[in-house]
Amino acid sequence: VPLAKDVTGKQISKWLGVEDKNKIITLVTENEVDSDGVAKALQEYGPLTPSQLREYTQLSGIPLEKKLEDLSRKQQVVETGFTPTDAFHVLGQLSFGDITKAEKGAAIYAELTGQSVEEFCRTVIRLASEKIENLIIDYIVQKYWGKSLSSFLAERGSHPVLGVDFSVKIPIIGVGAAAKVFLPPIAEKLQTEVKFPLYCDVGNAVGAALVE
């Protein structure tokens, strides 16, 4: 969840940071079996960062990550942090939610990385766009050839010898609140078009509700 839609009530400057402080986890439904104590800690102390969960549960690294992934998959927790959607808010390309929270998050990370707020936001969008582009390409490669190019795709922009561009012969379908500002440049880079279904802005929310 973007900071612009944060409802934890926690002051962003008090918890937001790098590594295991880059997000805050909120319990939304109780876990019936919580042998690891993660849900219990969230229920008792309210929204916590992974750093705080590690302190309360004595879990860390992969065990904690797997536990959070499991809770997230079951829609029992919500993770909030600075996302590309927040970056678009700060740059004035989106305007839903609380833009001041996105701006606070961007200011914190800009200071930590030694960039201006605008530079930081553009870096976030660029890196996220590159990741989405590579995921689309790798999905197609795996579907038709059964192999993954993920390791190559991650480094293709900086390869010292080989330069590769891809084109996609089918349209990209955009779903999500930020899709209309996020996907057109990616589609252009892949030499294709992006189409937006009716009510695409709330498509992810509808899907989540149906799963629940």
Side-chain angles (χ1 to χ4, degrees):
V1 174
L3 293 178
K5 297 185 70 176
D6 176 34
V7 293
T8 63
K10 299 280 187 176
Q11 190 173 341
I12 292 173
S13 60
K14 298 293 185 181
W15 63 266
L16 187 63
V18 297
E19 297 180 351
D20 57 1
K21 295 180 181 180
N22 67 344
K23 59 186 176 183
I24 195 165
I25 297 96
T26 305
L27 184 70
V28 291
T29 61
E30 292 186 25
N31 190 12
E32 295 179 2
V33 180
D34 185 34
S35 57
D36 299 312
V38 173
K40 182 179 179 181
L42 292 170
Q43 185 178 25
E44 183 174 351
Y45 298 105
L48 299 170
T49 65
S51 174
Q52 292 168 324
L53 279 172
R54 183 181 63 202
E55 178 183 347
Y56 290 129
T57 65
Q58 302 304 306
L59 289 174
S60 61
I62 294 177
L64 180 56
E65 289 177 8
K66 286 187 175 181
K67 179 65 176 180
L68 291 174
E69 287 176 4
D70 181 57
L71 291 172
S72 181
R73 186 179 66 255
K74 295 176 180 177
Q75 298 186 42
Q76 294 177 321
V77 299
V78 171
E79 298 182 355
T80 302
F82 191 91
T83 71
T85 297
D86 289 308
F88 281 120
H89 273 76
V90 176
L91 295 175
Q93 298 180 46
L94 285 175
S95 59
F96 61 86
D98 188 346
I99 189 173
T100 61
K101 292 181 178 179
E103 290 172 337
K104 288 178 182 177
I108 290 170
Y109 280 125
E111 183 176 357
L112 288 171
T113 58
Q115 303 177 77
S116 70
V117 167
E118 182 177 345
E119 287 172 336
F120 171 73
C121 290
R122 294 195 183 282
T123 298
V124 168
I125 293 169
R126 176 179 59 80
L127 293 175
S129 297
E130 289 175 357
K131 187 172 183 178
I132 292 173
E133 179 188 349
N134 289 341
L135 285 171
I136 291 171
I137 296 168
D138 196 51
Y139 173 80
I140 295 173
V141 171
Q142 289 193 58
K143 183 174 179 61
Y144 285 92
W145 288 280
K147 299 184 182 296
S148 174
L149 293 178
S150 58
S151 58
F152 165 71
L153 291 172
E155 303 294 332
R156 67 186 174 110
S158 58
H159 196 282
V161 177
L162 190 63
V164 179
D165 290 319
F166 293 86
S167 63
V168 175
K169 296 181 179 180
I170 57 175
I172 297 171
I173 306 300
V175 177
K180 289 183 178 179
V181 294
F182 213 152
L183 292 181
I186 295 174
E188 183 178 356
K189 197 168 182 182
L190 290 173
Q191 303 176 55
T192 186
E193 61 178 332
V194 57
K195 295 185 177 181
F196 300 101
L198 189 63
Y199 308 123
C200 67
D201 293 352
V202 295
N204 285 339
V206 172
L210 290 173
V211 169
E212 178 139 354

